[in-house]
Amino acid sequence: MSPPSVAPAAYPAPRLGTLTYYALLMVTFLAASSAPTPLYRPYQLAWGFSTTWLTLVFASYVFALLLTLLVSGSLSDYLGRRPVVALAIIGEIAAMLVFLAADDLAWLLAARMLQGVATGVVTSALAAAMLDSDHQRGPVVASIAPLYGMGFGALIAGALVTYAPAPMHLIYWLLLVILCVQGVWLMRIPETAARRPGALGALRPRIGIPPAARGPLLRVVPAVVSSWALGGFSLSLGPTLIERVSNIHNPMVGCLITFLLPFIGGISVLTLRARPPRSAVMIGTACLMLGMGGLLAGVSSDSVAVLLAGTAVAGIGFGAAFMGAMRTVMPLAPPTQRSALMAAFYTICYLSASLLSLAAGVATQHLGLLPTTYAYGTLVALLSLTALIAALAAPRGDAGCCPRPA
């Protein structure tokens, strides 16, 4: 069965300036989410907490984000995009201030949870706003922006931690200034969604998946889980793994895997954006399997070069599978349900990243880092194989695609 046609009124003329603003804001939020990654090891050494607590710090951000998504995921469908985005910017600024004040693990957990709430408020609203602004480029930009945000956030933070003064504070000051500028800039951005009644009712925890999107979403779930499970591992335990394999204790070196995976993923999105979603999912899941094989070979041979080469191939898969999955389901919701559908989509993404990486952190305490890495990599490869088989079995006309302008 083909996806339902979309009425011309659902997609107004593209607004490039609005799309650019929301894309840059998405980059900022995701850069802020990965900025603490190069600092985890210094935090751990300074405050003396275990690897399990390290992954719990990452997971606390994701759990807070998920709970917020469940409550506020469809809020911008009722209040409009701008009020919800403004609230999230205020929350993110508050999180940066808590990071700056942090002097023990409790403060770090509080900062990450507050950051998770702010990101949860804004995630589905930004994705919906980008589709509102440009229904053709919006889904592609919504796929690229989080990847580049995560990658460059970790890389810039790693560089500042290694080479700049005030290593535990400078990145947060930088993000604080950027967020304040973007908050002022928001006042010049036009609203892209009409306000309508029902906002209080929308706060009931729920996930909205329109009937037309349910089948396509179910088919791409393994691709989403495998790609985001790998992303969660790289953001939580990736720097520790690089240090173990290279025997170099340098935050800049440690964040290479955290940067490389989403950066190459962004390039693959740009390269493959003209491909049908089904094709992107197939290419992505195949590359995830090959990349995981290379990454595990690098760990086995203590070769950082092989490990990073495998990560780069996996990055192609990460970006392609994420984009293909998003483009499969994102256009299938009417304007009044776009934010709710994005909340459901990102719930799957972040659960995949958090629960599996937290399990890996616990396993590391009992089995060791390397055995856990082998088991985790094998799981990601098997999930990718499942997703590839599902994509191959799906009818071509039922794979989901971006709608054409009327």
Side-chain angles (χ1 to χ4, degrees):
M1 183 176 66
S2 300
S5 60
V6 181
Y11 296 107
R15 299 172 178 176
L16 184 58
T18 303
L19 176 64
T20 301
Y21 170 79
Y22 284 125
L24 290 175
L25 189 59
M26 177 75 90
V27 168
T28 301
F29 268 84
L30 271 295
S33 76
S34 64
T37 299
L39 286 162
Y40 284 157
R41 186 61 177 166
Y43 285 143
Q44 192 176 18
L45 294 173
W47 301 334
F49 55 86
S50 67
T51 302
T52 299
W53 275 105
L54 188 155
T55 53
L56 187 59
V57 169
F58 169 74
S60 66
Y61 159 80
V62 179
F63 290 146
L65 188 156
L66 284 173
L67 289 174
T68 307
L69 263 179
L70 291 175
V71 173
S72 67
S74 62
L75 195 59
S76 74
D77 289 335
Y78 295 88
L79 297 181
R81 313 304 183 204
R82 290 179 66 222
V84 174
V85 169
L87 179 65
I89 291 174
I90 293 170
E92 190 74 12
I93 288 172
M96 295 302 105
L97 293 174
V98 177
F99 274 120
L100 289 168
D103 58 5
D104 60 23
L105 180 61
W107 279 90
L108 182 59
L109 283 167
R112 284 299 266 170
M113 287 189 284
L114 181 56
Q115 187 179 43
V117 170
T119 308
V121 168
V122 85
T123 297
S124 58
L126 286 180
M130 283 186 263
L131 183 59
D132 294 342
S133 304
D134 190 326
H135 76 279
Q136 286 187 299
R137 286 174 287 194
V140 177
V141 174
S143 301
I144 296 172
L147 300 179
Y148 279 167
M150 286 188 290
F152 281 105
L155 183 67
I156 293 170
L160 294 179
V161 170
T162 306
Y163 303 113
M168 291 190 179
H169 297 97
L170 188 56
I171 183 61
Y172 302 124
W173 282 115
L174 178 62
L175 287 166
L176 187 63
V177 170
I178 293 173
L179 285 163
C180 288
V181 170
Q182 290 177 325
V184 174
W185 189 2
L186 178 62
M187 293 188 290
R188 300 175 59 88
I189 300 299
E191 181 56 75
T192 61
R195 190 182 183 99
R196 61 192 179 98
L200 287 178
L203 293 177
R204 292 194 306 270
R206 62 182 178 182
I207 293 176
I209 304 175
R214 289 171 189 170
L217 178 61
L218 184 62
R219 284 191 292 275
V220 298
V221 161
V224 174
V225 173
S226 60
S227 57
W228 278 74
L230 179 56
F233 183 87
S234 74
L235 283 169
S236 56
L237 294 177
T240 305
L241 180 64
I242 287 284
E243 285 191 6
R244 169 64 178 77
V245 173
S246 68
N247 202 29
I248 298 174
H249 303 287
N250 182 309
M252 190 67 183
V253 173
C255 75
L256 285 177
I257 188 172
T258 307
F259 165 74
L260 193 61
L261 184 76
F263 178 74
I264 298 296
I267 293 175
S268 76
V269 170
L270 287 172
T271 304
L272 300 171
R273 66 186 185 278
R275 294 251 184 185
R278 179 173 178 268
S279 176
V281 170
M282 288 191 293
I283 293 171
T285 50
C287 287
L288 278 170
M289 286 188 292
L290 292 173
M292 287 310 306
L295 188 153
L296 295 180
V299 173
S300 177
S301 61
D302 284 333
S303 171
V304 175
V306 174
L307 188 156
L308 292 179
T311 301
V313 175
I316 297 172
F318 180 59
F322 178 49
M323 176 191 66
M326 178 173 282
R327 288 181 58 211
T328 297
V329 301
M330 193 174 181
L332 300 181
T336 56
Q337 296 181 38
R338 284 178 194 155
S339 186
L341 176 59
M342 286 300 94
F345 185 84
Y346 280 114
T347 296
I348 296 170
C349 293
Y350 284 111
L351 274 177
S352 306
S354 61
L355 292 180
L356 292 175
S357 64
L358 182 58
V362 174
T364 298
Q365 292 295 107
H366 298 282
L367 305 176
L369 178 61
L370 297 189
T372 299
T373 301
Y374 293 133
Y376 201 97
T378 301
L379 176 62
V380 169
L382 290 174
L383 286 169
S384 301
L385 177 60
T386 302
L388 178 60
I389 293 171
L392 288 170
R396 287 182 179 271
D398 196 32
C401 63
C402 291
R404 301 292 182 190

